[in-house]
Amino acid sequence: MWEIARDSQVLDVNSSYAYVLWGRDFSGTSIVALDHDRVVGFVTGYRRPDRQDTLFVWQVAVDADQRGKGVAGRMLDGVLDRLATAGVVRLETTISPDNEASQALFTALARRRGVPISTEELFRPEHFPDSHEAEDLYTVGHRHGG
């Protein structure tokens, strides 16, 4: 997972230890895609502690040679289908305003699942000490309380 994140050249890359730990502690809310026993994509996520009916997707990444094949969408559908039995009814993620590929991915997810998608400002650049771009909150599914 770390190598895919690193090679993506767009994701914030966490330490390799973070990905190994994530795979251990959040395997129920994350997923990997395999091609002949080789990890070619992943979605990392967790259930919001204060909103157990909401999956927050931290990162989505697909190996360069697998892009354009629908891998990311199938992983998102897979993890949401698995978590539906546990009461998860919505997904949240953050996307920087210039990341059109991620915006399209989550818009397509909402369309496939027949649910609304909404966007709101969440973090502005001044919230980050390291020149990080803004991050908008995307909610796929009905917003909490409505």
Side-chain angles (χ1 to χ4, degrees):
M1 290 185 341
W2 176 84
E3 290 170 342
I4 294 169
R6 178 201 62 200
D7 294 347
S8 75
Q9 299 181 358
V10 296
L11 288 179
D12 292 331
V13 181
N14 300 293
S15 71
S16 59
Y17 174 72
Y19 290 99
V20 172
L21 193 61
W22 198 284
R24 184 191 78 161
D25 290 346
F26 296 103
S27 62
T29 54
S30 301
I31 195 166
V32 295
L34 299 173
D35 182 32
H36 299 96
D37 295 328
R38 179 176 71 96
V39 175
V40 296
F42 68 85
V43 171
T44 55
Y46 60 88
R47 290 171 74 176
R48 297 260 323 262
D50 60 337
R51 294 185 179 163
Q52 289 288 297
D53 60 354
T54 302
L55 172 70
F56 183 85
V57 170
W58 180 267
Q59 288 186 318
V60 177
V62 177
D63 232 0
D65 66 349
Q66 298 294 314
R67 291 185 193 141
K69 298 179 179 181
V71 173
R74 286 194 303 277
M75 288 189 297
L76 287 169
D77 282 328
V79 74
L80 283 172
D81 289 347
R82 179 179 353 130
L83 293 171
T85 60
V88 171
V89 296
R90 88 184 47 73
L91 176 152
E92 291 180 344
T93 194
T94 61
I95 304 173
S96 59
D98 65 346
N99 189 336
E100 294 177 6
S102 288
Q103 293 165 14
L105 173 66
F106 287 96
T107 299
L109 174 69
R111 187 173 35 252
R112 275 194 316 278
R113 298 183 86 78
V115 296
I117 184 168
S118 60
T119 307
E120 64 184 89
E121 183 181 82
L122 185 62
F123 299 121
R124 295 183 309 278
E126 58 267 22
H127 287 123
F128 300 102
D130 62 352
S131 302
H132 195 287
E133 293 181 86
E135 291 282 343
D136 293 330
L137 178 67
Y138 282 70
T139 301
V140 176
H142 296 282
R143 298 183 83 188
H144 205 267

